[in-house]
Amino acid sequence: MAKTSLLATLGLAFLVASAASGRAEGLVADAVKPLLEGTALAGGLLPGPVNVEKAGTAENAAAITLVPFEQSAGAFTLAGEDDVATFTFQLDGPQVSAGGALNLAYINAVSVLPDTAKVDVEVNGRDVGNFAIAAPNGTLTQRIAVAPEYLRAGRNVVQVRARQHHRVDCSLDATYELWTKLDPALSGFATGVAAPFTDFDSLLAVRRNSAQRTEIRVVLPGASGAEALNEVAPVLQALVLFLNRDDITVAIADKPGTGPGIDLVMAMDRSGGTVLAGLGLSAAPRGLSVQAGATSGRAAVVLRAANLGDVNAAVLAAVKGPMADGLKSGIFEKGRALLSVDAGERRTLREAGYETRVFSGRLSRTDFAVEMPADFYPAEYATLDLRLSAATSPGLEQTAQLLVRVNDKVVKSYPFRNREGEQFDGKRIELPLRAFRPGVNRVELLAELPTAADNACRPEERDDGKPRFILLDTTAIEVPALARVGRLPDLAALAGKAYPYGGGKPFDLVVDRADHQSVGAGLTMLARLALSARAPLNARIAIGTPAEGSGRDALVVSSQNDFAELGPADKAAFPTADDISASVADLLKPDTVVTASVSGGAATGSETADLLQAFHDSTAAGEDELSFGARAQLWLAAATNSFGRWLNYEGEDEARLAPHGEGSLVTLSQMRSPDGLATWTVIKADAPRDVEAGVNRLVEPAVWRDLQGGTAAIETASLSLVSLPAADRYIADLSDRSPGNLRRVAAAWFSDNFQIYVLLVLACLGALAAWLGLTVPKKGVRSDR
């Protein structure tokens, strides 16, 4: 109870402090040296640039660092004819006063026309220069000087806009071949003033390791027991939320690491100070503090406390004090391409950080994210409305149109039919709610804008001064009243909002064995869920197996083959080769007789079901041998499945995989606990090293955002994600029991189970016909005569 209260207070403190964010730092790069030697910088030099002669003296050349951008590797690609990427980096006061230069190392597609392609760069909303895109054969580094008056202490925002055209192809499809990729390891802010790791803000400049991951290494003396891990949890979550990086990986060790990263040193009083003495950190004060790490580019966050109560008090003090500014400008900063919405709300693109731009090319692409509530029920009972504020120019072809994609699937098209140009002032475009899912949804607005001149494809005649389309930042989305019911399994809600573990709800994080790899995998998953929830989670860590009968939800990390024995729900969710009875295999062989002993050798219920299924499969008649009724049933089932795939925006080639079957490195599944009182989310692998590698792959931004359905697996060979839809869902929470919400939930359920709806309608019509048939003869027909 005391821990629950403390963590709830911690969550409240995060909200009050507008909490949580992250950033990266320092890379001594050879690519920076030409800046110090007075090399000319690429176009757009600012008035009063950095004094390169002073910055480049031999005495301080070794101190030059490259402060990396905060964003993970997936954000470094600019695609299409006109694209914008936003980056942030952290500077302290002395670094601002010294100024520096932006290093942008990039490579571009060979199809990009070098004559017209260029990149424009802004820092904190002010233009600092531009350069031509001309690196199709290898990485090229452009350096743009930035004077001190363009910088500020804390987080600085860089906006990079790439405009590029195809060399020889003027079709719409050719725009997808245009890209420019920045190198995250060589791009950042070059400064001659090194920032030591002395406070929490300096942690935002920690650079990534060779795998482009932010490593947090928890340094624990002795065994990783439950008591020590529960002391780690609140500190780790606070640090992760402060850093606000979606590429964090957590490791456990008894000594600090080397290279870039952060060591989280847990020095509890029961260790007698030997931990800090052995690491040379004896001078660390009580509570949370930041120190320089054992090697260059590495930081150490040290916690000195007596017990869990002291740990929570130290975290609260840090959140309300030295972490507060970083939290406000980080994870809770608005205008970062994310719209968090609820029922009945209206949000504009301006709130997502979009700025009105005039577009002159063939395919305009604008993307943003919409975060739906965790208990949102997606179905056909209402629409989410896009209110389009835009205009098109005269001369567009009849095929011009606006496409709306949600989660990579086209859900709506609106043709631009007026060849004289038209203006849209809040034009309503209805988007089906079924296309959305709980948590974060990716929305793209694609304006296809072909003209007759594109058919000629003469780049020298292109007139980029004549716009074709403008999308205003007043374009908005309007959210209707939503059906609110928590349905599980749903990995999309887990990835998007940490459901059902968010909101301060207590749950268990259970690791089946206390080795460093398994525990590190569990803490990595906890950190990623806290980042999704944007608040610390109320987790109690235990070693062993989850407890039944407590009613507490659980997140289970298992690296043992016998996890399926925990209960029938688990065995059903994880069929393996051992689960298939040898008798079934024998049945499929010719000339084999299957027998069951009466005394102690009777087949179990599951084995009997397997035997019957195998028998039916082996004796099934061909389609030509079936009766007309049987063929009609098969056709109806196929038509129903096809309609269901269309209704849910699924393709015919949706990936299918037996959970934890051959070729799976790790599986992630949700299920009811065997007692039916709680929800278990199980991460399963065959060995500790597999569960560690699999979890590190699952939490990668590009994989995490695509989690959905009831089961997901990472394939061993390709490390690709394969998801399975939930076979059956159950209601985990129904907090809103108002008549309006119950009506919407019923409408949503009928839209999912349309066959029942059709049968009910037919039954009602039949009942009406029967009533009329019985009533009219008895009453007769009245005549006016």
Side-chain angles (χ1 to χ4, degrees), residues 483-650:
R484 305 294 290 269
V485 56
R487 300 185 310 147
L488 294 175
D490 192 344
L491 296 182
L494 176 78
K497 301 281 284 187
Y499 187 77
Y501 305 116
K505 182 180 180 180
F507 70 98
D508 295 328
L509 169 57
V510 183
V511 184
D512 64 349
R513 53 173 63 173
D515 61 86
H516 286 170
Q517 291 172 314
S518 298
V519 172
L523 292 180
T524 298
M525 182 61 71
L526 178 64
R528 192 62 185 84
L529 289 174
L531 197 61
S532 294
R534 294 203 292 279
L537 304 180
N538 191 358
R540 181 184 65 190
I541 302 178
I543 305 297
T545 58
E548 297 182 34
S550 64
R552 290 171 63 96
D553 294 334
L555 175 64
V556 184
V557 178
S558 174
S559 56
Q560 302 187 55
N561 290 323
D562 58 353
F563 179 78
E565 298 177 3
L566 283 177
D570 304 306
K571 189 163 181 125
F574 295 103
T576 65
D578 295 335
D579 296 328
I580 302 175
S581 171
S583 300
V584 176
D586 291 338
L587 177 65
L588 299 179
K589 297 178 181 178
D591 303 325
T592 300
V593 178
V594 180
T595 61
S597 171
V598 176
S599 58
T604 65
S606 62
E607 290 173 338
T608 301
D610 289 338
L611 289 172
L612 290 173
Q613 184 60 50
F615 175 78
H616 290 316
D617 291 342
S618 62
T619 59
E623 187 172 348
D624 294 338
E625 304 173 25
L626 295 176
S627 65
F628 175 80
R631 282 193 299 239
Q633 285 183 334
L634 289 175
W635 177 87
L636 183 59
T640 300
N641 290 335
S642 298
F643 182 75
R645 285 194 298 269
W646 172 82
L647 199 61
N648 289 284
Y649 303 95
E650 296 177 0

Side-chain angles (χ1 to χ4, degrees), residues 254-416:
D254 53 7
K255 59 182 179 180
T258 58
I262 300 174
D263 293 319
L264 175 54
V265 181
M266 302 296 295
M268 306 303 291
D269 288 353
R270 60 178 174 271
S271 64
T274 56
V275 175
L276 294 179
L279 301 177
L281 299 172
S282 300
R286 294 193 67 80
L288 270 174
S289 61
V290 178
Q291 314 282 332
T295 60
S296 175
R298 195 167 188 88
V301 176
V302 182
L303 174 71
R304 297 189 64 178
N307 50 42
L308 183 57
D310 282 354
V311 171
N312 286 327
V315 171
L316 283 171
V319 167
K320 294 179 179 179
M323 283 186 173
D325 290 341
L327 293 170
K328 292 176 184 178
S329 63
I331 198 167
F332 287 145
E333 174 71 13
K334 295 183 178 180
R336 298 284 178 86
L338 176 65
L339 296 175
S340 183
V341 301
D342 209 332
E345 293 184 341
R346 174 187 167 91
R347 294 284 185 267
T348 65
L349 294 190
R350 183 187 297 127
E351 297 175 63
Y354 172 77
E355 298 178 356
T356 299
R357 289 201 309 269
V358 174
F359 183 73
S360 304
R362 291 157 288 171
L363 181 64
S364 169
R365 297 195 287 185
T366 302
D367 61 272
F368 56 96
V370 176
E371 186 181 60
M372 302 293 286
D375 58 352
F376 154 64
Y377 189 165
E380 300 295 336
Y381 56 90
T383 60
L384 186 148
D385 294 336
L386 174 69
R387 293 291 183 174
L388 180 64
S389 296
T392 61
S393 66
L396 297 183
E397 294 283 87
Q398 289 286 359
T399 55
Q401 62 179 334
L402 176 72
L403 298 177
V404 182
R405 294 203 303 190
V406 179
N407 297 323
D408 299 325
K409 297 179 176 67
V410 175
V411 300
K412 197 70 174 183
S413 63
Y414 180 81
F416 297 143

Side-chain angles (χ1 to χ4, degrees), residues 30-169:
D30 293 337
V32 183
K33 294 181 180 178
L35 168 66
L36 305 177
E37 297 164 358
T39 302
L41 304 176
L45 295 182
L46 300 177
V50 176
N51 187 334
V52 293
E53 293 183 0
K54 182 177 180 180
T57 57
E59 292 81 8
N60 61 15
I64 292 300
T65 60
L66 188 68
V67 180
F69 293 138
E70 176 183 2
Q71 285 64 35
S72 56
F76 282 71
T77 299
L78 297 103
E81 294 175 298
D82 193 340
D83 198 8
V84 174
T86 301
F87 306 103
T88 52
F89 62 93
Q90 170 76 19
L91 297 179
D92 63 12
Q95 289 174 325
V96 171
S97 300
L102 282 175
N103 268 30
L104 299 177
Y106 74 97
I107 185 172
N108 60 269
V110 69
S111 57
V112 174
L113 179 66
D115 300 353
T116 59
K118 71 172 185 176
V119 168
D120 300 315
V121 184
E122 294 181 359
V123 174
N124 295 324
R126 303 173 68 178
D127 180 28
V128 297
N130 59 74
F131 58 86
I133 300 175
N137 300 317
T139 301
L140 177 65
T141 299
Q142 292 287 343
R143 303 176 184 89
I144 301 179
V146 183
E149 56 265 32
Y150 289 79
L151 302 171
R152 60 193 181 202
R155 278 189 170 92
N156 292 259
V157 180
V158 178
Q159 189 176 82
V160 179
R161 180 182 182 184
R163 286 177 284 178
Q164 45 201 359
H165 304 96
H166 203 284
R167 287 176 182 266
V168 295
D169 192 346

